[in-house]
Amino acid sequence: MVTFARPASRTTAKVLDSVRAAILSGELAPGEQVRQQVWAERCGVSRPPVREALEILSNEGLLVHGLNQGYFVTKFSTDEMDQLYTMRHLLELEAIRTLVWPEADTLADLRRRAHEIESAADAGRPDFAMQAVAEFFLEIYRLCPRKLIVAEIERLWIRTAAYRALNYDVMAAPRGVDLRFQEVIDALGAQDRDALAELLQRPTLRGMRRARGGAEEPVARSVPTA
């Protein structure tokens, strides 16, 4: 699963999960200030655990802290976004090129995850849905035995978390989400790397197009072999 830091205090964990969910769902947009008093009242806690939670999110890269200004959801420039999604694109293609085809039990687990995405979206929980989307994609990239590459992909997914809802909107049409992810599972079952690359790269390439002002970026239809 995506590796997030866990605090010792349950109170801090409550705030951490709430703020992270607001970022993942798009409720807190890139560049928006995260006010400690507001979140203390919202979570029913004092300010110290809020500060601890925000510092953890800052260390993860989801927030930035300005001296005498407070905490803000990380916002990247268009050039920085282009760099982040370009790195994701290249590393993810390498992971797809070298991944080991999964066994039947892994495919069954991915089907379960796909159903969880649809269930969360249908229940009106974009935070749960978007986290489940990340877990679905990363579980596939973890089939790659090149662990340093996989770890970097996971890090980049965390850094771009605030933009995830912009590039993969599962809330627009919750019913049928399961079928969209079933296409990915079918490509894995058929051991079709080209189809898998096209499907997995859609949100990454969408992020690249957005960073480049909407310029068309061709979807990778074949995976490099050298």
Side-chain angles (χ1 to χ4, degrees):
M1 72 187 327
V2 180
T3 304
F4 288 127
R6 299 302 304 173
S9 164
R10 288 186 179 180
T11 306
T12 300
K14 177 182 178 181
V15 180
L16 186 63
D17 290 342
S18 296
V19 178
R20 184 184 286 123
I23 294 171
L24 293 177
S25 68
E27 178 187 345
L28 285 173
E32 187 172 346
Q33 186 170 12
V34 183
R35 300 184 183 278
Q36 294 184 39
Q37 187 58 41
V38 169
W39 283 92
E41 294 173 358
R42 178 166 169 171
C43 296
V45 301
S46 61
R47 291 183 62 159
V50 175
R51 284 194 295 271
E52 182 185 354
L54 299 186
E55 185 60 27
I56 290 172
L57 292 170
S58 179
N59 290 336
E60 289 180 1
L62 288 177
L63 299 180
V64 293
H65 181 254
L67 186 62
N68 299 323
Q69 293 180 317
Y71 290 89
F72 297 81
V73 180
T74 300
K75 183 177 182 179
F76 296 106
S77 69
T78 54
D79 179 62
E80 289 170 332
M81 287 300 297
D82 188 23
Q83 292 180 59
L84 288 166
Y85 279 103
T86 297
M87 287 189 288
R88 269 186 52 176
H89 174 56
L90 295 173
L91 290 171
E92 288 168 6
L93 279 181
E94 178 61 17
I96 295 167
R97 185 184 74 84
T98 56
L99 66 77
V100 177
W101 296 114
E103 300 292 338
D105 57 341
T106 302
L107 293 174
D109 183 62
L110 288 169
R111 290 190 186 93
R112 178 185 58 78
R113 290 179 182 275
H115 181 67
E116 288 176 352
I117 296 169
E118 181 172 295
S119 296
D122 195 42
R125 291 302 306 264
D127 51 337
F128 288 177
M130 294 312 301
Q131 184 60 31
V133 167
E135 288 296 341
F136 180 88
F137 277 79
L138 292 174
E139 193 65 25
I140 295 173
Y141 291 129
R142 292 187 191 109
L143 295 171
C144 167
R146 310 191 72 183
K147 299 308 179 186
L148 291 178
I149 287 177
V150 173
E152 190 61 20
I153 290 172
E154 291 189 0
R155 189 185 71 84
L156 289 169
W157 270 71
I158 291 174
R159 294 204 69 187
T160 54
Y163 295 82
R164 192 172 299 152
L166 297 175
N167 302 318
Y168 213 109
D169 186 6
V170 297
M171 302 304 296
R175 298 291 175 89
V177 165
D178 197 355
L179 295 176
R180 280 188 266 165
F181 288 95
Q182 185 60 49
E183 290 184 80
V184 178
I185 299 169
D186 289 344
L188 278 168
Q191 301 187 4
D192 187 339
R193 288 190 198 273
D194 288 348
L196 186 63
E198 180 177 350
L199 292 164
L200 291 181
Q201 284 289 282
R202 284 177 182 173
T204 302
L205 293 173
R206 198 171 293 125
M208 289 174 66
R209 286 195 296 272
R210 189 179 296 275
R212 296 174 183 181
E216 193 63 30
E217 180 73 26
V219 173
R221 295 185 179 274
S222 61
V223 182
T225 56

